[in-house]
Amino acid sequence: QLSGSLPDSYGNMTQLQFLELQNNALTGTLPASFSNMRGMVTLEAQNNYFTGSLPSSWGEAWTEVYEVYLYA
């Protein structure tokens, strides 16, 4: 099980399309650097302990996004 906050360096995975982080003990905010993942199609990050708002840069960058799961 993963815990703690997500590092900004995850945003360096610019070709990533699917990211599954669900059912962990992740905390903090979701990094704005995720907007570097221009090909993101699916983000599953539900059942964690994230706080704050989604970065507005995601909406501008994720033109191919199909699914985002963030519920608690």
Side-chain angles (χ1 to χ4, degrees):
Q1 186 175 48
L2 300 173
S3 62
S5 59
L6 293 172
D8 284 334
S9 61
Y10 274 31
N12 294 336
M13 297 183 284
T14 58
Q15 300 301 311
L16 195 69
Q17 293 182 315
F18 303 93
L19 182 57
E20 296 187 14
L21 299 168
Q22 70 270 26
N23 303 317
N24 285 291
L26 297 168
T27 59
T29 59
L30 291 161
S33 65
F34 276 23
S35 62
N36 296 332
M37 300 174 183
R38 299 271 182 190
M40 180 63 71
V41 174
T42 301
L43 171 62
E44 295 190 31
Q46 68 270 24
N47 297 319
N48 283 290
Y49 302 98
F50 294 117
T51 57
S53 302
L54 295 179
S56 60
S57 58
W58 286 16
E60 298 163 10
W62 289 5
T63 59
E64 302 296 321
V65 73
Y66 181 71
E67 300 172 305
V68 176
Y69 298 99
L70 295 173
Y71 57 86

